Amino acid sequence: NVVAALQSGLPSTLDTSQRVRSNPESSPVPGKINLPVVGTIDLASLSLPLLTIVLAAIDGFNPCAMWVLVFLISLLLGLEDERRMWLLGGVFLATTALMYFAVMAAWFNLIKFLGVTGWLRMTIACLAIVAGLLFLRDYWSKPDATCKVVHPDRRRKILENIRRVVGRENLLWSLIGIAALAVGVNFIELACSAGVPAVFTQMLALNDLTNTAYYAYLTLYVLVFMLDDVAIFATAMIA
């Protein structure tokens, strides 16, 4: 269904003949742009599916979301019940994916509601540039790549809650607790990568697609975003 929906949409990130027309104040988007060093870029020739995969893959490598999964895996490996291990880890990953999809869908609908205006595009562009500069600064100044968003005391409380939830005898309450923790932790740590989803949803809104195609692209984004987490979890459980 996702593939069919993607095929029904536009093949490029921007077709200047089919822009979003829901807001009469939307300013025209140029078909080509000139960038320093890079040169001229034809926006209509860029692939929207490829852009989705690339941005989602970049967004997925997030140390702020990874440390919780790694700690959860370390606890699950100590359990003797293999079925419980897979259930708890699977619920954590599924809840993370659903929450991320909901956040991106809300952000996308907000952009559609406001309209693809020039000031909105400029705001998101500035957000992306500032976020990129901050990430580069952290890369060079803090090579340990640890998450700076969550305070150590709060991180310690989160780890204690995960340990308590995993250790409960009642499986149902453990599943409910791990789902609630997944929502809470990922809400806190969206600040680590808010720029990438903002850029993607803005690019998606520039295309005149069907609602099914819009949400199919959001689904593809989340699936690619979760690939590294799923691969790490499955490898640990199988090995």
Side-chain angles (χ1 to χ4, degrees):
N1 290 336
V2 172
V3 173
L6 291 177
Q7 290 176 343
S8 68
L10 296 180
S12 63
T13 59
L14 177 62
D15 186 338
T16 55
S17 65
Q18 292 182 312
R19 300 188 188 95
V20 176
R21 303 180 181 85
S22 59
N23 191 332
E25 298 180 358
S26 297
S27 58
V29 181
K32 295 182 180 180
I33 56 175
N34 294 314
L35 297 178
V37 181
V38 178
T40 302
I41 298 179
D42 184 3
L43 298 182
S45 66
L46 300 180
S47 169
L48 185 55
L50 181 60
L51 177 72
T52 303
I53 294 172
V54 170
L55 289 182
I58 294 173
D59 194 13
F61 287 94
N62 185 350
C64 283
M66 194 65 68
W67 66 271
V68 179
L69 177 63
V70 171
F71 182 75
L72 175 62
I73 289 174
S74 69
L75 294 178
L76 295 179
L77 292 178
L79 301 178
E80 296 181 357
D81 189 343
E82 185 175 350
R83 173 174 167 269
R84 187 185 182 95
M85 292 165 54
W86 281 98
L87 278 175
L88 289 175
V91 166
F92 179 85
L93 293 175
T95 304
T96 298
L98 290 174
M99 193 220 71
Y100 210 78
F101 178 87
V103 170
M104 291 198 64
W107 181 242
F108 169 76
N109 282 287
L110 176 62
I111 293 176
K112 292 282 288 181
F113 175 76
L114 294 176
V116 189
T117 56
W119 68 266
L120 181 60
R121 293 205 307 269
M122 184 64 67
T123 300
I124 294 178
C126 291
L127 172 65
I129 292 172
V130 171
L133 292 174
L134 290 176
F135 290 151
L136 289 174
R137 185 199 65 178
D138 288 344
Y139 174 76
W140 282 308
S141 62
K142 302 168 185 176
D144 54 341
T146 56
C147 179
K148 304 299 188 295
V149 173
V150 183
H151 190 274
D153 291 337
R154 179 180 290 180
R155 187 182 296 122
R156 193 176 303 110
K157 291 181 181 179
I158 293 174
L159 297 181
E160 290 173 358
N161 288 333
I162 294 176
R163 184 182 287 109
R164 184 166 56 252
V165 167
V166 172
R168 285 179 177 175
E169 293 185 4
N170 190 301
L171 177 60
L172 178 60
W173 282 111
S174 290
L175 294 174
I176 295 174
I178 209 71
L181 281 171
V183 172
V185 169
N186 283 279
F187 260 125
I188 293 172
E189 294 163 358
L190 275 173
C192 282
S193 61
V196 180
V199 171
F200 173 72
T201 50
Q202 167 71 16
M203 291 297 297
L204 188 60
L206 288 173
N207 291 271
D208 190 14
L209 308 177
T210 64
N211 285 332
T212 301
Y214 282 133
Y215 287 103
Y217 276 111
L218 290 176
T219 301
L220 176 62
Y221 186 100
V222 173
L223 290 176
V224 176
F225 170 81
M226 294 297 300
L227 276 180
D228 59 332
D229 289 352
V230 173
I232 291 173
F233 173 72
T235 301
M237 294 299 101
I238 294 172

